[in-house]
Amino acid sequence: MRALVWNGINKLTVESVDDPKILNSHDAIVKVTRTAACGSDLHLLAGYVPTMRAGDVIGHEFIGEIVEVGSGVTKRKVGDRVAVSSFISCGKCFYCRTEQYSLCDNTDPNPDIPEALWGAAPGGCFGYSHALGGWAGSHAEYIRVPHIDVGSFVIPDGVSDDRAVFASDAAPTGWMGADLAGVKPGDVVVVWGAGAVGQMAARASMLLGAERVIVIDRFDYRLRQVRDVIGAETLDYTKTSVLAELKELTGGRGPDVCIEAVGMEAHSARPDFAYDMVKQQLRMQTDRPTAVREAIMACRKGGSVFVLGVFGGLVDKFPLGAVMNKGLTLRGAQVHGPRYIPMLLERMQRGELVTEHFATHVMPLEEAPRGYELFKHKQDDCVRPVFVP
């Protein structure tokens, strides 16, 4: 079959690779019909995520049709059109039973690596390095899906492929940020990052009753989507002082909830961005926490900060004193997909949640390297490239 293969920093090629096979009775083979590039995939291209190997198939956001199932599969059948959670979960361990699916104890066959980095291993993720399991990714014609009964969900009739593909990762990630940050009716919520995940965090906050939602970014075409499709307010951080503006907009108090949806390659107009960039390039720190710092400093006393962006390791000049002295709640997580995907598919069917506007560039899989170039360099108003194998 054909697949998009990572062959080194900024080296992507479409190649012929071995077809996936059923290896466990709970496996299924899915014919991929849509697979989207995620902002966190760009960290793989740039070489910021270790333990990638030449020949790895990347991609973790996808939908498809089940074409083969193992003997132990009971809830899915051949022919089902399904959205698949980006993180893989067994459904039986302590973390899966408590709906913390991305923390699954049984789906990362390489736990030694994350245990050394983070003290414990999360679950495995499709196409996202050998630290997260070394599972083959979804930018391919077919993919093996372990524990298909736990991590896949039948897409309702009337939900288009271009809408449903974002139920795999972007929509549940954004929703989880608003949910676990504790957004409640009347809150003022600020989201850093107007990509697909940031927009979903904003939309989720609105549906959970937030009184005011503000999204911060620097790209006009993404901020237009926030205003025109999501219905939230926007700030361009290159044209204003974010901290001063948020104080002004909240009567001097600061937002109740701050959600960071940017990650390890953040940009900023502030001087600390240059500091972070130099230290990251010299491998003296692994990530650029520019947006996280700003979210912590902006948040009101007693407020909540949630980190949705992907971070790998250690950072410098982290405002721990602000977290403690302001009484903030600071949380983060990889997406607990099965906890949210069924509800989100229903909202997509009812039209409460629209996502197809993210798919600005739908193209054949053979053009995926060009799609990643557009996405990485923010060319041609690319929000997300979506590949059709």
Side-chain angles (χ1 to χ4, degrees):
M1 69 172 184
R2 303 288 281 169
L4 182 68
V5 172
W6 184 95
N7 277 316
I9 295 175
N10 294 319
K11 294 179 181 177
L12 295 177
T13 54
V14 178
E15 302 176 4
S16 293
V17 301
D18 292 340
D19 291 343
K21 296 178 180 177
I22 298 283
L23 298 178
N24 183 289
S25 61
H26 299 287
D27 290 352
I29 303 300
V30 171
K31 182 180 188 301
V32 179
T33 52
R34 289 286 191 284
T35 176
C38 174
S40 60
D41 290 323
L42 297 179
H43 308 324
L44 304 176
L45 265 66
Y48 292 120
V49 177
T51 72
M52 289 295 292
R53 299 175 187 166
D56 285 345
V57 177
I58 65 171
H60 58 267
E61 188 164 40
F62 65 102
I63 61 171
E65 178 185 336
I66 296 175
V67 295
E68 186 179 358
V69 295
S71 59
V73 175
T74 59
K75 297 180 180 177
R76 301 290 173 261
K77 63 182 186 304
V78 171
D80 282 349
R81 186 174 70 121
V82 292
V84 180
S85 173
S86 54
F87 266 76
I88 305 165
S89 43
C90 72
K92 297 179 179 177
C93 70
F94 166 83
Y95 293 102
C96 288
R97 293 199 309 272
T98 53
E99 295 191 314
Q100 300 175 90
Y101 294 98
S102 67
L103 303 179
C104 177
D105 264 340
N106 296 319
T107 54
D108 185 348
N110 305 314
D112 291 350
I113 301 169
E115 283 174 359
L117 281 171
W118 305 319
C125 181
F126 292 105
Y128 212 81
S129 85
H130 291 264
L132 293 183
W135 300 98
S138 62
H139 295 342
E141 292 181 272
Y142 297 91
I143 186 170
R144 173 191 168 215
V145 178
H147 305 291
I148 186 87
D149 281 339
V150 180
S152 73
F153 301 90
V154 176
I155 300 168
D157 293 339
V159 178
S160 70
D161 285 353
D162 287 338
R163 179 175 293 189
V165 67
F166 297 105
S168 170
D169 185 79
T173 302
W175 194 283
M176 181 187 71
D179 179 32
L180 299 188
V183 172
K184 60 184 184 302
D187 277 349
V188 176
V189 179
V190 177
V191 180
W192 276 256
V197 170
Q199 291 193 37
M200 287 294 91
R203 181 60 180 156
S205 298
M206 296 169 70
L207 290 170
L208 290 170
E211 180 179 298
R212 193 168 190 179
V213 178
I214 302 162
V215 180
I216 300 170
D217 205 286
R218 64 182 166 129
F219 296 106
D220 286 341
Y221 64 97
R222 302 204 310 191
L223 292 173
R224 279 199 304 273
Q225 287 194 343
V226 171
R227 292 190 298 270
D228 297 344
V229 183
I230 302 300
E233 301 173 59
T234 62
L235 281 181
D236 181 340
Y237 68 76
T238 66
K239 298 178 180 177
T240 188
S241 167
V242 169
L243 294 178
E245 190 85 15
L246 292 179
K247 284 281 188 185
E248 178 74 20
L249 290 171
T250 56
R253 191 171 61 187
D256 303 291
V257 175
C258 295
I259 299 173
E260 192 272 0
V262 179
M264 66 173 70
E265 294 183 75
H267 289 77
S268 171
R270 301 198 317 268
D272 57 327
F273 166 68
Y275 172 87
D276 287 330
M277 177 67 87
V278 169
K279 290 203 72 171
Q280 190 182 44
Q281 294 300 317
L282 294 174
R283 299 297 189 259
M284 297 173 68
Q285 67 180 25
T286 56
D287 310 78
R288 301 201 298 262
T290 319
V292 178
R293 282 196 203 102
E294 193 165 75
I296 290 171
M297 298 305 291
C299 197
R300 73 159 169 83
K301 293 183 286 185
S304 175
V305 177
F306 199 94
V307 180
L308 280 178
V310 170
F311 289 88
L314 304 173
V315 298
D316 195 2
K317 302 295 183 290
F318 186 78
L320 185 59
V323 174
M324 183 269 167
N325 286 287
K326 290 169 67 177
L328 301 180
T329 298
L330 175 64
R331 297 189 70 175
Q334 295 279 10
V335 61
H336 304 313
R339 182 169 171 176
Y340 299 103
I341 292 173
M343 174 270 292
L344 294 172
L345 286 170
E346 291 177 5
R347 289 181 183 272
M348 287 179 172
Q349 188 180 33
R350 294 197 298 267
E352 296 176 6
L353 197 71
V354 297
T355 55
E356 53 268 43
H357 61 290
F358 301 142
T360 51
H361 294 73
V362 180
M363 56 184 63
L365 180 65
E366 294 292 330
E367 296 183 26
R370 183 176 72 87
Y372 267 96
E373 279 296 299
L374 295 173
F375 186 35
K376 177 178 179 179
H377 298 293
K378 307 295 184 286
Q379 296 171 344
D380 196 29
D381 291 356
C382 182
V383 176
R384 286 286 188 93
V386 175
F387 312 124
V388 184

